[in-house]
Amino acid sequence: MQKRNLISAASMLTAATLAAAILTGCGGGGGGGSSQTQSGTGSGGTSTPVTPANATDPYTGSPATGTATAQISGQVVSGPTTGATVMAYALNADGTNGTAIGSAVTDASGAFTMTLTQAPTGMIRLVATGGTFTSEADSSTQKNVSMELVAPYVTTTLNSFVITPLTHYASQRISYLASQGKTLLQAYATASSAALQLVTGTDVIDSTNRTHGGVDYLSIVPGSTQDTLNSYSDALTGLEYYGVKYDLPSHTTLRILVATTLAGQDNVTDQNGQPVNVGQWSAGTFDETQAPTVATMTGGISVQDGVTSIVQQMDAVVACNSGDHASFYARFPLATGQSDYLDTSTCATYTSNMNTIKAKITTNNRGKFQG
């Protein structure tokens, strides 16, 4: 009886050993066999590595093109901003910043390169703080306080990012929309599409690819050959002339623009209908806690409308002086049945308006102090 039990036990052990050997040969069983199968390096492994799908493109609803990468580069541009610190963060589902995954400092041209701690599998936010730039409007030195950019994905087809006032607006609005219950994909598409014509009206940035412009514009350097009709450059210059018109530091112009457009409104109040303080100069510094409000400063005209008007008048003056009206109407199309309105009288009005703004350059505080 005892002998039969021993034989039976031995038979069971042999069967178990054989089964384990079969499982190992097939790549099953413990961690060693599993690892070999996933890596494809085991003697019996036949499968290939599994590559995670890229983050979703918010405009196509499909995985983004290219291969995930940890290498990114770009520029910080109101004008080229030197000495700015650029931090990269993973983006949380509620639009807030997650883990920091990289940092860099911009050079004299505003450029930076960065190796992230990992190739992102979702959206990231770049935050540029500090640094200075020369204003395109009055050649004054302006300081950068903070500008942001949200990238929907980072792959070999999208890893160059230009951080500007318009990407900052989009980033801030993405966070707002996410806080209101929108998904990040919904928030991104809404905010970035709006950024393309926030202060240029019909003069849309990246107008050659309207179906994907809200992603493609992230890599466009304002004023470059990619900047269709110079729309992007015009937008940034218009913001600077708005600062000249009201003697505001550039970062204040950006702050009040975002505050009065955050919820998609075109107004002189914030998203809750509350007045937005502008601030005033005091002993060489700009105190943003002080009056006036946007409504008082502008007489009820929104910041968005004010900048858009300046952009249109800037372009009109160029068209009047050059005689190239066609390029102007490519930006600001005539209504059906409307004829060329850039006559002598209209050109004189636009020129006078721009000259009035430029006349403030010599007496403005923004040209004397970094507010």
Side-chain angles (χ1 to χ4, degrees):
M1 182 70 176
Q2 186 177 9
K3 184 176 181 180
R4 281 200 301 270
N5 287 341
L6 289 173
I7 293 173
S8 177
S11 298
M12 291 173 63
L13 179 60
T14 302
T17 304
L18 179 61
I22 292 171
L23 283 171
T24 302
C26 293
S34 175
S35 174
Q36 288 178 346
T37 301
Q38 290 177 357
S39 66
T41 59
S43 58
T46 57
S47 62
T48 56
V50 177
T51 302
N54 286 342
T56 302
D57 185 315
Y59 286 90
T60 66
S62 301
T65 58
T67 304
T69 180
Q71 301 298 320
I72 68 172
S73 61
Q75 286 182 262
V76 179
V77 180
S78 284
T81 304
T82 181
T85 298
V86 182
M87 293 292 298
Y89 300 91
L91 195 63
N92 294 326
D94 63 357
T96 58
N97 293 341
T99 304
I101 55 175
S103 65
V105 177
T106 60
D107 63 17
S109 67
F112 66 90
T113 58
M114 190 185 303
T115 300
L116 305 177
T117 57
Q118 60 191 36
T121 56
M123 295 191 188
I124 68 167
R125 173 175 279 127
L126 301 177
V127 181
T129 55
T132 59
F133 66 93
T134 300
S135 171
E136 289 289 328
D138 60 359
S139 298
S140 64
T141 299
Q142 296 293 313
K143 68 179 182 182
N144 171 57
V145 173
S146 181
M147 289 200 302
E148 303 172 359
L149 176 151
V150 169
Y153 52 87
V154 179
T155 68
T156 50
T157 59
L158 183 69
N159 64 344
S160 178
F161 303 107
V162 183
I163 305 170
T164 73
L166 296 186
T167 67
H168 179 76
Y169 156 80
S171 175
Q172 291 281 295
R173 193 171 177 198
I174 287 167
S175 291
Y176 172 77
L177 291 171
S179 75
Q180 300 300 301
K182 297 290 187 182
T183 67
L184 282 182
L185 290 176
Q186 292 169 332
Y188 184 92
T190 298
S192 295
S193 295
L196 297 179
Q197 55 188 121
L198 180 68
V199 294
T200 53
T202 57
D203 188 13
V204 183
I205 296 169
D206 197 26
S207 59
T208 57
N209 188 8
R210 296 291 295 276
T211 61
H212 207 249
V215 171
D216 297 342
Y217 90 112
L218 298 178
S219 299
I220 294 176
V221 177
S224 68
T225 55
Q226 293 177 297
D227 185 6
T228 310
L229 298 176
N230 227 42
S231 303
Y232 208 160
S233 178
D234 286 348
L236 302 192
T237 303
L239 284 167
E240 288 302 300
Y241 271 119
Y242 190 90
V244 171
K245 180 177 181 177
Y246 293 106
D247 195 13
L248 306 176
S250 297
H251 63 83
T252 300
T253 298
L254 179 56
R255 175 181 61 81
I256 63 176
L257 172 66
V258 172
T260 54
T261 56
L262 189 63
Q265 79 277 23
D266 176 11
N267 214 325
V268 293
T269 57
D270 68 12
Q271 69 273 19
N272 299 313
Q274 297 300 307
V276 174
N277 260 5
V278 177
Q280 61 180 279
W281 290 96
S282 176
T285 60
F286 195 81
D287 184 353
E288 293 188 329
T289 67
Q290 300 298 311
T293 64
V294 171
T296 301
M297 180 183 76
T298 67
I301 300 172
S302 71
V303 181
Q304 183 178 1
D305 286 348
V307 178
T308 301
S309 175
I310 288 174
V311 170
Q312 185 167 0
Q313 292 185 83
M314 278 170 31
D315 287 342
V317 170
V318 171
C320 291
N321 291 338
S322 67
D324 181 10
H325 294 191
S327 293
F328 176 78
Y329 292 125
R331 294 176 169 89
F332 305 99
L334 292 166
T336 302
Q338 185 180 19
S339 59
D340 183 354
Y341 58 82
L342 292 180
D343 55 23
T344 302
S345 175
T346 302
C347 284
T349 298
Y350 285 155
T351 300
S352 175
N353 290 345
M354 289 306 302
N355 285 342
T356 298
I357 294 174
K358 292 176 182 179
K360 298 182 178 183
I361 291 175
T362 57
T363 58
N364 274 350
N365 286 294
R366 65 174 261 137
K368 303 172 185 176
F369 310 105
Q370 290 184 32

